[in-house]
Every structure is written in structure tokens, then in C-alpha cells.
Amino acid sequence: MIEILNPALLARAKDTGALVAHILQTLKGRCAVGTNLLDIDRWAKAMIAEAGAQSCYVDYAPSFGRGPFGHYICTAVNDAVLHGLPHDYALADGDLLTLDLAVSKRGVAADAAISFVVGNAQPAESIAMIRTTERALAAGIAAAGPGARIGDISHAIGTVLGQAGYEINTEFGGHGIGSTMHQDPHVANTGRPGRGYKLRPGLLLALEPWIMADTAALVTDADGWTLRSATGCRTAHSEHTIAITDDGAEILTLPKPSQP
């Protein structure tokens, strides 16, 4: 299903997007060496409930996971890249952590992900990977607008990832979002411009470039959910929910600037 939101629902989407951005930035600020992934999940649960919102993950049971997910946020560390199931693990100095969060509020969902390195150690390769996904995400957003096509977004993302030397996996990518978390159209992280669904104002998309340092192959963890790089290399993942407008694309999950 491809869903086009009316102005009233779009206003709700902006509210949900702001909530997702706030929770992710709050969690990032709390993450330190020694923080347990299960504590991050508990913090997310409390903030979602306090906001009067609902988790898109806790009861989620798609065909590719051993569902239901049973947790409130995805926490992927180092070689884990997608659908990271929170578990009893204390973060170490230099760990590359991805937090991926989707919530629904007043009937509209928003989805975003951030990657960052924990502690004082800042491995150059990890920082470069994170920056590459952020640049690819920005390129995809810049390519979105009324009359553009899904392939234009995919091509923009894939160009940045490919030019940086990364292989691109097309099994998982971006997606439509609205009254439910995962909708059509699928937005692959590489593609041909001028192809696919033509974008219309009111369409929400979650764009999410992700990469692995030296492979495009995934393996599924024993937990039935967490997807890891097949070689054990590090990974990175960046995601925003955007709304197609009359003038281009508006990022709904952009953090508010810090107050001086």
C-alpha cells in the first residue's frame, strides 16, 4: 500500500518525527562505556510511554524475523547493522553503535536511525563509514521532491556509497511509512534514475543507507533478528523520515539545534 497523507495527518507525522528525533538524541547522550543495551531499551520504553506514543517494534513479527521482536529499539553494535535485538551487553570504548527507532503517535509513524562511536576511542574507519551513510542520506533527500521518482533517490544514495568504495546490499532499504511503519514503495540503496513510483506531496518515506566495511553479505544472528556482516566487519546506518512537499522534501526526524 502507498499512502498519501492529508494535511491533518502530515501535522501529526511532524509531531511523531520530532519525538523520534528527541528520543534518539536523548539516548545517544546517555550512552557511555559500560551502558547496557537492555538499559537503552528500558529508557526507550519509558520515553515512548511518557509521550503517549506506541512502539512499532515490540509486537512486530515479519517473515524475516523470529517474532515478535519484543523490544522497543534496535541496538546494533559493531558488526551488527540491522534489527539489532537488545541483549545483555555493556558497551565498550570504541564500539560503533546504531540506534534505530520507530514509534507511532496519534495514528502516524516515524522512523530514524543514528550511528556513533561510544567513548574516547574514535576509530577512523568507523567515523568514515558513519559520515558516508550521512552523506548518502543527504543526497537521497536532495533527490526527493514532487515529480521525482524512487529510482532518483536510490541512484543518489548508491552513487555516494559506491564512490566511497562500499558494496551495496539491496535486500533491505528504505520504505514508505504512514499509518504503519513499513509500506510501499521500497527504496533500494542503489538504482537507476527515472525509474519507479513518481513522488507526490503527502508521501512519507523512510530513507536508510547502510553499509558494511568489506562485504555486501549478511548473516542472521542466533537470536533470529540481528543482521550482521558476513565477514565480521564493522557497519553503519543512518535514517530519516521525510515528507514530500510541494517544494521538495522535509525531514521530519531532524534533531532540534542544541540551546546555547
Side-chain angles (χ1 to χ4, degrees), residues 1-17:
M1 178 183 72
I2 295 178
E3 186 175 12
I4 304 298
L5 274 63
N6 61 39
L9 289 176
L10 183 57
R12 295 185 192 179
K14 292 179 181 181
D15 185 42
T16 308

Side-chain angles (χ1 to χ4, degrees), residues 105-167:
K105 185 175 181 182
R106 298 172 63 205
V108 184
D111 191 0
I114 55 174
S115 289
F116 56 95
V117 178
V118 175
N120 295 319
Q122 298 287 309
E125 181 188 57
S126 296
I127 299 301
M129 292 179 67
I130 294 168
R131 298 293 177 262
T132 297
T133 61
E134 291 172 344
R135 288 190 293 109
L137 179 55
I141 294 168
R149 294 187 179 272
I150 291 295
D152 298 328
I153 299 174
S154 296
H155 177 72
I157 291 172
T159 297
V160 173
L161 300 182
Q163 288 179 346
Y166 296 102
E167 298 181 61

Side-chain angles (χ1 to χ4, degrees), residues 18-36:
L19 174 62
V20 169
H22 170 70
I23 292 175
L24 285 176
Q25 291 303 308
T26 301
L27 293 175
K28 180 181 178 181
R30 292 182 181 179
C31 288
V33 174
T35 299
N36 194 292

Side-chain angles (χ1 to χ4, degrees), residues 80-93:
V81 64
L82 298 173
H83 313 152
L85 194 73
H87 59 284
D88 185 12
Y89 174 79
L91 293 169
D93 191 31

Side-chain angles (χ1 to χ4, degrees), residues 239-253:
E239 179 180 14
H240 274 311
T241 294
I242 65 171
I244 305 303
T245 69
D246 291 330
D247 302 318
E250 180 180 358
I251 305 173
L252 304 187
T253 49

Side-chain angles (χ1 to χ4, degrees), residues 25-107:
Q25 291 303 308
T26 301
L27 293 175
K28 180 181 178 181
R30 292 182 181 179
C31 288
V33 174
T35 299
N36 194 292
L37 300 184
L38 292 176
D39 286 333
I40 298 172
D41 188 57
R42 283 191 284 268
W43 296 335
K45 177 182 178 181
M47 283 187 281
I48 292 168
E50 183 179 359
Q54 298 79 43
S55 168
C56 292
Y57 292 160
V58 67
D59 294 322
Y60 189 50
S63 60
F64 56 78
R66 188 185 299 163
F69 188 74
H71 291 272
Y72 293 80
I73 191 168
C74 295
T75 56
V77 181
N78 295 334
D79 64 322
V81 64
L82 298 173
H83 313 152
L85 194 73
H87 59 284
D88 185 12
Y89 174 79
L91 293 169
D93 191 31
D95 276 347
L96 198 166
L97 173 64
T98 297
L99 301 178
D100 189 349
L101 177 70
V103 303
S104 179
K105 185 175 181 182
R106 298 172 63 205

